Amino acid sequence: QAFFCLLLCVPWGSSCPPSCQCTERAGAKAVLCSSRHLEEIPKDIPRDAVFLKLDANSITRIPSNAFRHLSHLEELDLSRNAIEKIDRAAFKGVAAGLRTLDLSSNRIRSIPKEALLALNAKLRLANNPWHCECALQEVLWEARLDPDSVQDITCHTAPRQEYVGKPLLQVLDAGVNFCSVRQRTTDVAMFITMFGWFAMVIVYVICYVRHNREDTCKHVDYLKSLPSPQGHAE
């Protein structure tokens, strides 16, 4: 009985990861895991966490459902890590309540737009080696970006060399549309594919006609080689 009483009295989800410090901030739980040499997101973050700082670590990836159990989470700091990959469902479960998401100063080159467009949080994406493309352009136009950090979203690589090193916002303001570039590329690829199929059909028809003509000629030669009816009559 004492054991079951103990289980009922323990506040589930209130434990703190051994590599972090849990404290109260304005009556809400804050989990501080900054500069702890973490290589992945801790599994045992308290469910009632409202503020979560995972900055200045060595995290390389944000997997799907990484924060799904943190339904009270409002602020998430993942800045100054080594993040290269973010899964499409990385922030599933916290999209509605999250107010701030800091992904600045990582190694992010591209990100699935589905991972960010569902968020209502204010995003910080500055100081990453971005590859300027359609998905990033859509994030810039549709997501809630921190206005103070927008100018620091710079093209590390791009379809054209002249865009490299420039802020993405400046490139877009100059009239560049990466989504239309992708559409043109798709159209060209489709045209080449259709032309290839058309050429194959033409070649097939030519070969078919030539083959039938050869067969016809052989048949005519065969008929000519047969004895004529007049020869049998004589």
Side-chain angles (χ1 to χ4, degrees):
Q1 291 181 350
F3 175 73
F4 285 109
C5 181
L6 180 61
L7 288 178
L8 293 174
C9 293
V10 171
W12 290 98
S14 61
S15 61
C16 191
S19 56
C20 304
Q21 177 186 0
C22 296
T23 183
E24 296 288 330
R25 180 191 296 179
K29 175 158 287 186
V31 182
L32 310 178
C33 309
S34 305
S35 305
R36 300 301 175 98
H37 307 289
L38 298 175
E39 296 183 357
E40 60 182 18
I41 298 168
K43 306 293 185 184
D44 49 356
I45 298 172
R47 293 179 177 272
D48 55 348
V50 177
F51 307 100
L52 176 58
K53 288 184 66 64
L54 291 163
D55 56 304
N57 283 292
S58 301
I59 299 171
T60 59
R61 179 190 173 206
I62 306 178
S64 297
N65 303 311
F67 309 99
R68 189 171 186 174
H69 65 291
L70 306 178
S71 58
H72 300 283
L73 195 61
E74 295 182 5
E75 295 186 14
L76 176 57
D77 188 355
L78 288 159
S79 63
R80 297 185 294 153
N81 273 279
I83 298 171
E84 296 180 348
K85 180 175 176 56
I86 299 176
D87 291 356
R88 294 179 183 272
F91 304 106
K92 188 174 182 179
V94 297
L98 203 61
R99 293 190 290 112
T100 301
L101 173 59
D102 194 342
L103 291 168
S104 59
S105 301
N106 277 282
R107 300 176 185 174
I108 307 170
R109 296 189 70 253
S110 63
I111 189 169
K113 63 181 182 180
E114 296 85 358
L116 298 182
L117 295 184
L119 295 173
N120 294 318
K122 183 181 293 184
L123 300 173
R124 298 189 182 99
L125 303 175
N127 301 318
N128 280 286
W130 291 107
H131 174 65
C132 288
E133 58 181 348
C134 182
L136 183 59
Q137 175 179 320
E138 290 177 341
V139 168
L140 189 68
W141 290 139
E142 299 182 34
R144 291 186 58 225
L145 297 178
D146 182 359
D148 296 331
S149 65
V150 172
Q151 288 293 341
D152 294 322
I153 301 176
T154 304
C155 297
H156 184 74
T157 56
R160 296 178 61 174
Q161 187 63 29
E162 62 188 280
Y163 306 144
V164 175
K166 294 182 178 180
L168 176 59
L169 190 62
Q170 177 183 336
V171 174
L172 297 178
D173 285 343
V176 177
N177 188 335
F178 292 106
C179 295
S180 65
V181 170
R182 184 179 69 177
Q183 183 62 43
R184 286 199 300 271
T185 303
T186 303
D187 292 343
V188 170
M190 186 176 298
F191 174 78
I192 293 174
T193 302
M194 293 178 63
F195 179 80
W197 280 106
F198 182 74
M200 289 176 62
V201 171
I202 294 298
V203 170
Y204 174 79
V205 171
I206 293 174
C207 292
Y208 180 79
V209 171
R210 182 175 297 175
H211 179 72
N212 285 350
R213 180 180 298 173
E214 291 176 355
D215 288 347
T216 301
C217 291
K218 290 179 180 179
H219 186 67
V220 170
D221 292 340
Y222 172 75
L223 292 177
K224 289 181 178 179
S225 67
L226 295 176
S228 64
Q230 293 179 353
H232 286 291
E234 293 174 357

